[in-house]
Structures are given as structure tokens and as C-alpha cells.
Amino acid sequence: MKNYFSSLFSNHKVLENECYHFFKKVPIRCCPLCSMSGTGTVIKQNVIEPVDLAYVSYESTESVPQTPPLLIMHCLCGSKANWTTTSRALQKETKPQRKIIVVDARNHGDSPHSDFHKYEHLAEDVKTLMNKMDVKKAALLGHSMGGRAMMYTALKYPDLVEKLISVDISPIRTTESFKAAAQIMQAMQNVKFPTRVTLEEAKTSADMQLAMSIHNKLVRSFVLTNLVEESNGKFAWRVNIPGLLRNRKYIFSFPDVKGLTYSGPTLFITGKLSDFVQEKDHKGILELFPKAEFRSVDNSGHWVHNEKPKEFLNICTDFLSK
């Protein structure tokens, strides 16, 4: 019996007044383990331990070494693979040519999973990668969640940032469209993967289950890019859905940045059909980013770089080449 309870406590985590273990998420006061022990292994969200981000880089013999590279971070439930085509085009078309570095955020793609997912953590991960690669200054580009991560990095570490590009996300408020991502992640968590089937058969099964709550086929196709076959032959999501759901209140809100500003060149690219950034946000954005410029792309929604790749490329290369 003693060994049994010891094994329970060894996996018992208390995170900001909530417990995470086999009982599901519960308040500390309702947790049977906390009731028995009176204590728990307390993990503080404000203790920031960076992770080593997975990344891919693009450069050519024409890349100018002294020109700061461009670091790109994807959206929630995305990965560096989503930016392959755009990154190659940016590397080729931006003058002078820059090295392009595309990362997988923590809990995404090939990067490590973590219990923590605040923008403070994401910024620290970016800073750590820059130190590891001996990058003194970089241009930063991020889409949606990645945009907020890069915004916070610029506000917290302005000396590391040459220029900033935020793609269809606001630091001022969060739209219901963004918060709807929680429902998508919940649908992903509810998927039951079949066994002894091929990857394509597993995708078909997952798609049918997702379709019950996610009616947009393009969204389901995006979600299914996270389906992987593990070494034991079973299927799983490579994105850390439980961890992201636990941290959704941090993902759907921007940190308190009172007193912080980034006065370097900044560009906000938005889709005209998207509601993620609205004109009423501009005043607040300019208080944080006084040199911010705003470019809206016609006939485009939240996925500007995919829906209007030529227009997106022209806007970015013009800004980066100034």
C-alpha cells in the first residue's frame, strides 16, 4: 500500500491551485491526494525553464551573413512545416537575402512538450535559441499565437529584435474566433485512434470523428497534419493537446506588459475578412509599438500567408528590405 501511494505522489502535480493527475484537473481542495497529504509538488508558472526548440533554416550562398536572420513562429496547433513554401520564397526574394529560421514552438511539432505554455515561456525559448545559434539580433515574424509570442519577445528583449512582423493577431484583445480553437483542441482530444491500420486509414477515421464538431474541411485538414505514427505502431497527435488546453487562458490572453514598448520597425499584416485585429485596436497597438504600420490584405481571412501568398510575400519583402 505504501508503494502504491508513493507512485501516486511521484506523478502528482499541483499547478497554480489546480491538480493534474489521473483524477483529471481538479481544485486542490477537492483532490484526494492533496487531502491525504496536505501538500503537493507545486510547480510555479512564473519559474521559466526554456526548452530547446526544433527548427529548420533556409539560406543560400547569396545570403548576407551580417544581415540579421528572420525567425518565424507558426500558429496554435501548427508547425514549422506549415511555413516551408513561404520561408523558401522569403529567403529567395528578400533583398539582401537573409537566413530564415522557422521554429516549432514548445508543445508543437518536433519541440519538447511542457506543462507550461505562457507567452513568457515562448519568448524565453526564442531568446535561448538565439543564444544557442549565436544570433545577436533577428527580425521576428509570427502568425496568430506565434505573432503574440514574437510581440512579447520584442517587448521584453527589444535589443534582440531588428524588426517585427505580426500576422493577423492583436495584443489588445482576443476574438471569439481565436477562443474557438479550444473547441477544436477538445475535439482532437476526444478522437479515438484505431489500431492495426495504415496512416491513411487512421487519418480517415480521425477526420470522420472530427467532422462531428469541426465542419470546416480546411480546418480538419490543418488539424490532421498533427497526426503521427509512433514507434510502437500506434497513432497520436504530435501537438500536446492536454497541455495546451490546460494553458488556454494564457494562450487566449496577452501578458501584462505595462511599461514595456518596442520602438523598432513593426508591421501588422491582417486579413480583411478576419476579425482577429480590428481598427479599434490600432490605438492600443501603437502605445506598445509606436512605429507600427498596418497592412490589410483584400479577400483574405486569418490565414493570410496561405490564402494570398503573393500579396503576403510582397508586403513582407518590402518591409524587410527597407
Side-chain angles (χ1 to χ4, degrees), residues 139-177:
L140 304 182
L141 185 156
H143 173 229
S144 201
M145 177 199 76
R148 282 188 167 177
M150 294 312 202
M151 278 189 262
Y152 187 80
T153 304
L155 291 167
K156 184 72 180 292
Y157 302 112
D159 292 342
L160 298 181
V161 182
E162 180 219 11
K163 295 181 178 183
L164 172 66
I165 301 176
S166 174
V167 184
D168 211 60
I169 194 68
S170 169
I172 305 305
R173 61 183 182 82
T174 300
T175 66
E176 292 303 315
S177 299

Side-chain angles (χ1 to χ4, degrees), residues 66-77:
Q66 61 268 32
T67 303
L70 173 67
L71 266 68
I72 299 175
M73 184 180 288
H74 56 79
C75 65
L76 182 63
C77 292

